[in-house]
Amino acid sequence: MPDDEFLRSVLRDQWHLVPSEMTGLPLALMSCGWDFTAGGARYVARLAESAARQPVEAGLAAAQHLLGARIDAGAPVRTLGGALTVVVPQGVLSVLHRLPGRFLDGRDPVDQQWWGERLGAVHRALRGFRHAGLRPWQLPDPDAAHLDAEPWLRPAVTTAVTAATRLTVTDQLTYGVLHGDPAPQAFAIDPATGRSGPLHCGASGTGPLVYDLAAAITYAGGPERAGELVSGYLGAGPVGADEVEAALPVLLRLRWAVQADRAARYDCPQGLDMARVALESMAG
């Protein structure tokens, strides 16, 4: 994680932005971010791992595509040299214009409706979007060495991957461009206008669209607390209720397995414990 002084230096040198205020955003699974003000305008800076540079740039291009489809999204800000991202020692950094308004509250039923509706609208608007940086959906590797971190970990990941593989082989799923990490803090709503949209499109890839919905549901606190989120998505998205009902349990388990895999890889005991509790409850 870069310190504030280093981050300010990169923003000044690469984007000619001098932040007057800077606030860290809640951690997401795939990246971390900062909300900042410079020259009277608001921006979001996001840091992802270096290996995700191409998918991050695909996500930035996807945000630009959404703007062309009249969906509010954080417009990417290019560097002084015209690049979308900059590689720093801690990863790959990008900057976007900050949409007006506040972050969505994932536990609030009304905000959940906005959240699900916007995620569905994004999925629908990105049909046909193409970018060289879009990577195919990748499942965790059940043979990875870091899965020896806990006795329960490798069996849990193996079970989740096996079930997801079977689902993708036997069921007709709707594929498209994934946000990848659709946390409520990745969306904003302007109470003055009622307009809402994604602040960013994550490290975009392609895969079953219900996986994005499953990822959002984990942020909402689980299926029993995400009824309005699902309702909002079904009203706006390209996936039908029957497919969501069939695929969601398997992809929820996979999402928690992905969280467990990343927590073990980056030695995050808290994240590992959260994933263990969730996977055990689903097994029960």
Side-chain angles (χ1 to χ4, degrees):
M1 182 83 71
D3 59 38
D4 278 2
E5 189 56 39
F6 179 79
L7 183 59
R8 288 174 182 272
S9 174
V10 175
L11 292 172
R12 181 183 63 248
D13 294 344
Q14 297 291 335
W15 279 273
H16 200 52
L17 295 171
V18 181
S20 56
E21 300 176 21
M22 183 173 293
T23 305
L25 299 177
L27 288 176
L29 180 63
M30 303 296 185
S31 64
C32 57
W34 297 264
D35 195 336
F36 70 94
T37 302
R42 293 184 68 185
Y43 302 89
V44 172
R46 299 209 63 83
L47 180 72
E49 58 190 43
S50 296
R53 185 176 191 180
Q54 286 188 322
V56 166
E57 294 195 349
L60 295 169
Q64 196 66 55
H65 179 88
L66 292 176
L67 289 168
R70 300 185 181 275
I71 292 180
D72 290 350
V77 181
R78 290 186 178 271
T79 68
L80 295 174
L84 284 171
T85 59
V86 169
V87 175
V88 296
Q90 300 85 357
V92 58
L93 189 68
S94 59
V95 175
L96 304 97
H97 289 283
R98 167 73 155 84
L99 291 179
R102 60 170 177 81
F103 300 129
L104 295 182
D105 180 348
R107 303 301 176 95
D108 180 86
V110 176
D111 277 17
Q112 279 197 18
Q113 277 280 346
W114 285 108
W115 186 11
E117 190 276 336
R118 285 294 83 184
L119 181 60
V122 165
H123 282 170
R124 193 174 287 279
L126 289 177
R127 290 185 299 183
F129 172 73
R130 300 288 183 269
H131 190 278
L134 288 173
R135 61 186 176 192
W137 193 48
Q138 294 180 325
L139 300 177
D141 178 9
D143 296 322
H146 61 262
L147 296 183
D148 288 329
E150 296 285 348
W152 60 270
L153 183 54
R154 191 181 303 280
V157 170
T158 300
T159 298
V161 168
T162 300
T165 301
R166 184 181 305 117
L167 175 73
T168 58
V169 170
T170 59
D171 286 49
Q172 293 292 322
L173 301 181
T174 304
Y175 281 69
V177 177
L178 300 174
H179 181 286
D181 202 18
Q185 298 85 9
F187 295 79
I189 182 169
D190 185 354
T193 63
R195 296 177 69 89
S196 63
L199 293 170
H200 61 88
C201 286
S204 290
T206 57
L209 295 179
V210 179
Y211 180 73
D212 253 1
L213 181 60
I217 288 171
T218 64
Y219 283 112
E224 65 282 355
R225 299 179 180 177
E228 296 302 320
L229 167 61
V230 175
S231 173
Y233 182 83
L234 289 174
V239 182
D242 289 347
E243 181 179 338
V244 169
E245 182 179 1
L248 192 55
V250 174
L251 296 181
L252 275 169
R253 179 183 291 276
L254 178 67
R255 178 64 175 188
W256 280 115
V258 168
Q259 295 217 29
D261 174 81
R262 290 184 65 85
R265 187 187 311 169
Y266 296 110
D267 192 22
C268 178
Q270 182 179 5
L272 197 57
D273 191 54
M274 285 180 58
R276 177 186 59 79
V277 171
L279 287 166
E280 287 179 353
S281 68
M282 295 179 75

